[in-house]
């Protein structure tokens, strides 16, 4: 094997070998445990030194032949292996550097695939990327039913499965499932498979309970080696279904990145080849693709985004000491509409404490509680919770028209209509009911939290807690510190945020906070060009080359024209020189339209023919490149103002909010470095956001 470039700061994953006598086995099992010496909070990954240790472990095992009857590889508690060491990827400066490490991985992993001694992967914990590829090279796989995450996240980062995954997976589970795992899931908020899902797809040969998993895996492997168990794998359809799946993958890539990122398309090329080329040829093509992608700007951008999500998001800046946080043993939700119901379900599911909803009448309350029951039933039907847990969850949710049910609540959040007077009245009423220590939170998307708390006796316990829709999918939570919010309230809010498994970012109490302020400025520029006379579809697709997850007017439909109008009005009042309210948006709302598009049976949009009679347009159309440039310049201008105002601590927080709350593409590397690279920052503000 070729010499590998060292990663100076590599946390080396060691390959500990034990030789184990197993009842019924004539000989011994060699068990390799991958372990970097830390607990599960620092998962094991494979850099150059780790790969070399694994190779040395195989050398030592083969030296004991014929005593060793089978070889198995597993991981430390809760972690199998999360793949290549991403911290060293920026050190791979040349294509040859990249090829060397991908070739080394291919040659090493092939020793498991081609071994005359049977090889097994005992997948005991989280398995990502190269870790999953290692398991696929093993001839047999056991899987613990408790494993929460199995995935190929590479396309999400800007690369592809480059240690054999693109060749092995489709030939094991079929192209339909392979496209889901390699293309669709990473482009869908980097979705992971749970153990049961992975087993159903055919990734593992047997699903075992986590208790005594290693012992049970050793026993199962012994039966395979002795011929007592024959592993049957499904036949892969390489006909029309194979080609249809690839077409679906291309459609998914086009819908998500619009050709702006190369990784999913290179991955699809390799997947297509796996039908006909031999394994050596396919993996050589992986080497070539990885060499190109490792030196691409998209990977550099993806790694910046990855670092934000993995590190900064988990250690938010400016948060008071967690020791100040108060316990939350009961939650109140004011409102029982769709957003309030989503919040109630999230609190029940994550906190597992009593949650009570209130609204104006019994019918609305009953509808809200029924929504939560329905979500619980869905989880039960999917096998994600037991019937006992489903019953317990249903016992935790209740509703009432009487807010006195909040008297013993520790945390109450309002999620009612965006009207300041209404929210002030609700908080005033709540203050007469709840304890002085109870946190009062608002899910407002744009209104002043300080104004809501201004007339209260205890304004220090009011905090903004802004979720993004759909609540179950988008991970961002803007935690808003109002004028009088104290440290204990803020610490409690962030503790709750963590328990909800959301990523909290501390933001100042400025109009529309971060995401909505930027999206409204962006949408406003696009809508203004339509008002001036630009064709609606031309304006909507002018920013396609950015690879955003959806076009501006599809986003408008998701947000809702009425909500967008309200936020625009709020920002217009605060910043009338930069934020207008389109008269055509007003007309769209008054007409009761939920979108500027109508959708046919195939899901293809076209402009609503009613728009011609509803809206009025000018006669000064703009070119697509001009529309895109004006929208980006508006974003650069607004971000600089927000940083100067201290809305967040640093540009990285703007980037984090846009990635987690607005779906800003990973491959663009955060909005502020993108604006720097494209020269927009300096053109508009005279300086870069980053040195």
């Amino acid at each position: 094997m070729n010499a590998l470039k060292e990663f100076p700061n590599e946390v080396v994953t060691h390959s500990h070998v034990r030789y184990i006598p197993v009842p019924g086995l004539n000989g011994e099992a060699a068990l390799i445990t991958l372990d970097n010496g830390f607990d599960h909070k620092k998962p094991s990954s494979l850099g150059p030194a780790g790969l070399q240790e694994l190779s040395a472990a195989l050398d030592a095992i083969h030296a004991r032949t014929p005593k060793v009857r089978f070889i198995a590889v597993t991981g430390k508690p809760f972690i199998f292996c999360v793949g290549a060491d991403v911290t060293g990827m920026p050190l791979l400066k040349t294509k040859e550097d990249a090829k060397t490490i991908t070739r080394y991985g291919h040659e090493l992993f092939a020793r498991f695939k081609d071994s005359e001694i049977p090889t097994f992967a005992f997948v005991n914990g989280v398995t990502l990327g190269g870790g999953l590829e290692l398991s696929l090279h093993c001839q047999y796989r056991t899987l613990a039913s408790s494993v929460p995450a199995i995935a190929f996240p590479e396309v999400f980062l800007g690369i592809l499965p480059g240690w054999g995954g693109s060749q092995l997976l489709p030939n094991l589970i079929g192209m339909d499932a392979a496209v889901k795992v390699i293309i669709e899931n990473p482009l869908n908020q980097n979705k992971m498979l749970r153990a049961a899902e992975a087993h159903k797809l055919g990734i593992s040969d047997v699903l075992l309970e986590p208790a005594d998993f290693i012992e049970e895996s050793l026993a199962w492997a012994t039966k395979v080696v002795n011929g007592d168990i024959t592993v049957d794998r499904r036949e892969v359809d390489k006909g029309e279904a194979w080609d249809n799946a690839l077409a679906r993958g291309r459609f998914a890539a086009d819908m998500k990145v619009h050709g702006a990122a190369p990784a999913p398309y290179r991955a699809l090329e390799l997947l297509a080849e796996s039908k006909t080329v031999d394994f050596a040829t396919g993996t050589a093509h992986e080497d070539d693709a990885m060499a190109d992608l490792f030196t691409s700007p998209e990977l550099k951008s993806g790694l910046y985004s990855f670092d934000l999500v993995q590190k900064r998001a988990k250690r938010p800046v400016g948060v008071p000491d967690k020791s100040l946080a108060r316990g939350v043993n009961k939650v109140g939700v004011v409102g029982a509409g769709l957003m309030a119901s989503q919040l109630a379900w999230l609190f029940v599911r994550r906190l597992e404490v009593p949650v009570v909803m209130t609204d104006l009448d019994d019918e609305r309350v009953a509808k809200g509680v029924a929504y939560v029951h329905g979500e619980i039933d869905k989880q039960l039907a999917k096998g994600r919770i037991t019937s006992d847990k489903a019953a317990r969850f249903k016992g935790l949710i209740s509703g009432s028209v009487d807010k006195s049910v909040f008297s013993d609540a520790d945390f109450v959040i309002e999620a009612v209509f965006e009207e300041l007077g209404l929210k002030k009245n609700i908080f005033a009423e709540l203050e007469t009911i709840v304890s002085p220590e109870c946190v009062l939170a608002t899910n407002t998307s744009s209104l002043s939290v300080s104004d809501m708390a201004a007339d209260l006796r205890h304004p220090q316990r009011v905090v903004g807690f802004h979720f993004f829709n759909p609540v179950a999918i988008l991970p961002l939570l803007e935690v808003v510190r109002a004028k009088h919010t104290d440290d204990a309230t803020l610490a409690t809010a962030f503790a709750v945020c963590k328990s909800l498994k959301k990523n909290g970012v501390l933001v100042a109490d400025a109009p529309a906070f971060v995401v909505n302020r930027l999206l409204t400025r962006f949408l406003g520029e696009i809508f203004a060009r339509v008002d001036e006379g630009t064709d609606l579809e031309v304006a909507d697709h002018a920013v396609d080359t950015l690879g955003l997850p959806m076009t501006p007017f599809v986003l408008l439909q998701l947000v809702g024209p009425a909500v967008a109008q309200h936020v625009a009005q709020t920002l217009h009042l605060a910043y009338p020189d930069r934020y207008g309210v389109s008269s055509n948006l007003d007309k769209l709302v008054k007409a009761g339209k939920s979108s500027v598009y109508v959708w046919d049976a195939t899901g293809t949009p076209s402009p609503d023919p009613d728009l011609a009679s509803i809206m009025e347009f000018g006669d000064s159309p703009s070119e697509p490149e001009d529309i895109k440039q004006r929208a980006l310049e508006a974003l650069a201008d607004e971000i600089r103002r927000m940083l100067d105002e201290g809305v967040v601590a640093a540009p990285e927080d703007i980037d984090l909010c846009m990635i987690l709350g607005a779906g800003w593409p990973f491959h663009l590397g955060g909005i502020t470095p993108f604006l720097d690279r494209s020269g927009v920052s300096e053109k508009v503000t005279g300086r870069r956001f980053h040195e």
Side-chain angles (χ1 to χ4, degrees):
M1 296 187 193
N2 296 326
L4 287 176
K5 188 183 185 80
E6 292 184 3
F7 291 0
N9 297 317
E10 179 181 353
V11 177
V12 179
T13 292
H14 303 289
S15 294
H16 301 297
V17 182
R18 288 186 292 156
Y19 298 98
I20 302 172
V22 183
L25 184 68
N26 182 21
E28 61 190 12
L31 179 65
I32 304 170
T33 301
L34 303 175
D35 190 345
N36 63 3
F38 293 87
D39 66 16
H40 66 280
K41 295 178 182 177
K42 188 181 283 292
S44 302
S45 61
L46 292 171
L51 290 169
Q52 289 168 329
E53 277 214 22
L54 182 55
S55 181
L58 283 178
D59 291 341
I61 291 168
H62 282 283
R64 288 175 69 100
T65 309
K67 289 183 179 180
V68 176
R69 294 293 309 283
F70 67 83
I71 301 167
V73 60
T74 192
K76 66 183 182 181
F78 309 110
I79 304 292
F80 180 75
C81 178
V82 297
D85 180 1
V86 297
T87 64
M89 288 182 184
L91 301 174
L92 303 174
K93 302 292 187 183
T94 68
K95 290 186 177 183
E96 193 53 42
D97 287 342
K99 275 192 176 183
T100 299
I101 196 165
T102 55
R103 284 180 188 142
Y104 192 102
H106 277 136
E107 293 168 12
L108 171 58
F109 287 6
R111 296 177 67 186
F112 288 89
K113 176 177 176 289
D114 300 330
S115 174
E116 293 183 2
I117 304 172
T119 57
F120 295 79
F122 296 166
V123 182
N124 65 305
V126 173
T127 309
L128 307 177
L132 180 53
E133 286 170 305
L134 172 58
S135 76
L136 292 174
H137 278 81
C138 292
Q139 294 158 6
Y140 305 95
R141 284 162 294 284
T142 69
L143 177 60
S145 61
S146 58
V147 175
I150 300 164
F152 277 130
E154 283 87 346
V155 165
F156 186 62
L157 284 175
I159 50 176
L160 50 79
W163 278 337
S166 72
Q167 305 303 296
L168 291 171
L169 192 66
N171 285 297
L172 176 68
I173 65 175
M175 187 56 75
D176 187 71
V179 163
K180 176 181 179 180
V181 177
I182 292 177
I183 303 296
E184 292 174 330
N185 282 358
L187 292 178
N188 185 22
Q189 297 284 324
N190 202 20
K191 185 179 179 183
M192 309 274 173
L193 298 171
R194 291 182 173 86
E197 297 171 289
H199 180 66
K200 187 176 181 181
L201 291 178
I203 290 175
S204 63
D205 296 311
V206 63
L207 195 64
L208 300 173
E209 290 301 310
D212 302 321
F213 173 70
I214 296 299
E215 291 79 1
E216 290 299 316
S217 293
L218 288 167
W220 184 85
T222 297
K223 291 178 181 178
V224 172
V225 170
N226 289 341
D228 299 327
I229 290 177
T230 301
V231 175
D232 294 318
R233 296 187 179 131
R234 70 192 71 166
E235 185 178 350
V236 171
D237 182 351
K238 293 190 176 182
E240 186 178 353
W242 182 284
D243 298 331
N244 289 342
L246 285 168
R248 193 184 80 242
R250 291 187 191 95
F251 178 76
D254 288 342
M255 290 297 291
K256 290 293 185 179
V257 302
H258 307 287
Y265 301 99
R266 292 297 294 271
L268 284 163
E269 290 172 10
L270 291 167
L271 286 170
E273 284 186 356
S274 70
K275 180 178 181 179
T276 54
V277 304
D278 60 70
F279 187 68
T281 302
T283 53
H285 291 169
E286 280 186 345
D287 291 337
D288 293 336
M290 289 293 278
D292 291 339
L293 293 172
F294 262 119
T295 53
S296 71
E298 287 81 12
L299 177 61
K300 182 178 180 181
S301 298
L303 291 174
Y304 172 86
S305 302
F306 181 80
D307 190 65
L308 286 179
V309 171
Q310 292 298 312
K311 295 179 180 179
R312 194 175 185 91
K314 294 176 180 177
R315 293 185 287 275
V317 176
V319 180
D321 192 282
K322 62 183 179 182
S323 65
L324 296 174
R326 294 190 283 264
V328 174
N329 298 306
K330 181 178 178 180
V331 172
V333 179
V334 181
L338 180 58
M339 175 58 83
S341 299
Q342 290 182 77
L343 297 183
W345 164 227
L346 181 67
F347 281 109
V348 166
R349 184 182 185 186
R350 298 300 188 201
L351 301 190
E352 299 191 20
V353 301
V355 176
V356 59
M357 308 171 72
T358 65
D359 213 316
L360 297 175
D361 55 57
D362 290 328
E363 183 180 351
R364 296 185 205 197
V365 170
K367 187 176 180 180
V369 172
Y371 173 91
V372 178
H373 283 192
E375 293 301 306
I376 295 169
D377 289 338
K378 289 177 186 176
Q379 293 294 306
L380 179 61
K382 293 176 181 177
R384 293 179 179 172
I385 58 175
T386 64
S387 56
D388 286 345
K389 177 158 275 193
R392 187 154 60 86
F393 279 172
K394 287 183 178 181
L396 291 174
I397 184 69
S398 61
S400 175
V401 294
D402 184 356
K403 292 188 182 68
S404 65
V405 293
F406 296 145
S407 62
D408 57 345
D410 304 299
F411 190 99
V412 179
I413 183 168
E414 68 77 21
V416 300
F417 182 71
E418 285 283 273
E419 201 278 305
L420 182 62
L422 174 62
K423 293 175 185 287
K424 286 172 69 76
N425 289 339
I426 287 171
F427 277 169
E429 182 181 1
L430 288 174
E431 194 169 45
T432 67
I433 297 169
V434 301
S435 70
E437 292 77 29
C438 176
V439 171
L440 298 181
T442 171
N443 184 47
T444 182
S445 60
S446 60
L447 299 175
S448 169
V449 181
S450 299
D451 287 351
M452 285 181 214
D455 300 328
L456 300 179
R457 294 193 305 276
H458 301 289
Q460 71 276 3
R461 41 93 164 273
V462 177
V463 65
F465 217 56
H466 180 218
F467 291 85
F468 289 80
N469 198 20
V471 172
I473 295 175
L474 292 177
L476 179 65
L477 186 52
E478 291 178 331
V479 182
V480 186
R481 183 166 205 159
K483 182 178 180 180
H484 297 293
T485 307
D486 63 19
D487 284 353
T489 297
L490 203 59
T492 303
F494 272 96
V496 170
C497 173
K498 184 176 181 180
S499 296
L500 295 175
K501 297 187 178 180
K502 295 294 183 183
N503 297 124
V505 175
L506 180 62
V507 304
D509 187 19
F513 316 125
V514 175
V515 174
N516 283 346
R517 180 166 167 179
L518 289 177
L519 287 182
T520 302
R521 184 87 191 264
F522 182 73
L523 279 171
E525 288 294 324
I526 305 292
F527 220 117
R529 306 293 79 78
V530 173
D531 292 347
E532 291 168 355
T534 304
D535 177 81
L536 188 146
E537 290 183 288
V538 170
D540 199 25
H541 291 284
V543 293
D544 279 0
T545 54
L546 296 177
L548 301 177
M550 63 188 73
T551 66
F553 287 125
V554 173
L555 174 63
L556 177 67
Q557 178 177 345
L558 178 66
V559 171
V563 173
Q565 178 197 43
H566 171 78
V567 176
Q569 289 169 339
T570 299
L571 286 162
H572 176 67
L573 289 173
Y575 313 112
D577 58 322
R578 305 193 305 280
Y579 288 87
V581 181
S582 167
S583 61
N584 278 328
L585 179 58
D586 289 344
K587 291 169 183 174
L588 197 68
V589 173
K590 288 175 183 175
K593 295 288 185 179
S594 61
S595 174
V596 297
Y597 289 127
V598 291
W599 302 74
D600 65 20
T602 66
T604 303
S606 59
D608 187 332
D610 292 344
L611 296 184
S613 60
I614 295 172
M615 301 163 76
E616 296 179 5
F617 306 99
D619 56 4
S620 302
S622 298
E623 292 298 318
E625 188 58 33
D626 179 57
I627 297 170
K628 173 184 168 183
Q629 189 65 20
R630 290 175 71 169
L632 292 175
E633 289 177 5
L635 288 174
D637 175 65
E638 202 62 36
I639 290 169
R640 173 53 61 195
R641 293 171 186 271
M642 292 164 71
L643 292 170
D644 291 345
E645 293 169 18
V647 175
V648 291
E652 290 82 359
D653 294 315
I654 298 278
D655 297 332
L656 192 58
C657 285
M658 292 299 285
I659 289 169
L660 298 178
W664 181 263
F666 246 57
H667 69 264
L668 293 182
I671 191 168
T672 61
F674 171 77
L675 293 170
D676 283 349
R677 288 196 310 274
S678 58
V680 177
S681 306
E682 289 181 274
K683 178 183 177 183
V684 174
T685 71
R687 52 182 167 147
R688 297 165 62 89
F689 292 112
H690 302 268
E691 294 300 327

